[in-house]
Amino acid sequence: MSDDLSEHILIVDDDVQLRRMLRRFLEDEGFSVSEAADAEGTHRTLNSRKVDLITLDLGLGRADGVDFR
C-alpha cells in the first residue's frame, strides 16, 4: 500500500522473513509500510519520507538497535 494519507510504519530488522511477515500484516491493516535491514537503509527512508512509527530490532548486525543513530 502506498497511500500517503495512511499512517506510515518503518520496519527495521535484518531478518528478511520477519520483515515480510510484518509488512503483509500491517498493509492488510491499512498501513503504509517501508522496510530497512540496517542503519543506512533506515536513514535513507527517514530522509525521504515522513514515518509515524518505527519497529526496531534491538539486535541488528553491525549497529545494535539500542545504540542506533
Side-chain angles (χ1 to χ4, degrees):
M1 174 175 252
S2 61
D3 182 358
D4 288 338
L5 299 177
S6 66
E7 290 84 6
H8 189 83
I9 299 174
L10 172 59
I11 301 167
V12 182
D13 200 301
D14 52 358
D15 182 327
V16 176
Q17 291 178 327
L18 180 59
R19 285 197 323 263
R20 287 180 183 161
M21 179 192 66
L22 283 171
R23 181 180 199 129
R24 278 193 308 268
F25 173 78
L26 292 168
E27 286 178 338
D28 286 348
E29 294 298 317
F31 295 99
S32 174
V33 180
S34 293
E35 300 177 33
D38 54 26
E40 293 83 17
T42 301
H43 291 296
R44 277 193 302 275
T45 300
L46 292 174
N47 288 325
S48 68
R49 69 166 303 152
K50 177 182 173 280
V51 173
D52 298 293
L53 178 75
I54 299 173
T55 64
L56 178 60
D57 177 10
L58 294 180
L60 289 173
R62 293 181 304 196
D64 139 341
V66 175
D67 297 325
F68 197 82
R69 296 169 210 205

